[in-house]
Amino acid sequence: IKFFRNIFERKFFGVSSWWGNRLGVKPSIIRLFFIYASFTNVLTILIYLAMMLLLKLDIILSTKKEKVFSIYN
């Protein structure tokens, strides 16, 4: 169960942590906002999923790819 909890927190709560750091608020407040807002409409869930995708793309694009032969330099 701990394994699944860690995966769930990293994948789904990464958005809340990222927005919390950017806005200067606690990630739990962001999480609660999305939880309560998801009860009102489906658009909130789609926005959250889009932000997950954008965050993942940002992480992929911002990581520096090392060359294969960089250990010889």
Side-chain angles (χ1 to χ4, degrees):
I1 279 229
K2 199 172 198 178
F3 173 74
F4 292 115
R5 182 178 173 196
N6 288 336
I7 290 174
F8 185 74
E9 285 179 356
R10 273 187 277 149
K11 295 290 183 188
F12 294 107
F13 296 149
V15 173
S16 301
S17 299
W18 184 76
W19 274 109
N21 289 336
R22 300 278 281 182
L23 298 175
V25 296
K26 291 181 181 180
S28 60
I29 294 172
I30 305 291
R31 285 184 203 128
L32 286 175
F33 170 76
F34 278 109
I35 290 169
Y36 291 140
S38 67
F39 287 120
T40 61
N41 57 13
V42 178
L43 184 63
T44 307
I45 297 170
L46 296 175
I47 291 171
Y48 192 83
L49 291 174
M51 286 191 301
M52 281 176 40
L53 177 66
L54 291 174
L55 181 62
K56 186 70 171 174
L57 286 174
D58 184 42
I59 291 170
I60 290 172
L61 295 176
S62 67
T63 56
K64 183 179 177 183
K65 305 287 187 213
E66 293 189 27
K67 295 180 182 177
V68 176
F69 299 108
S70 64
I71 59 174
Y72 295 114
N73 291 335

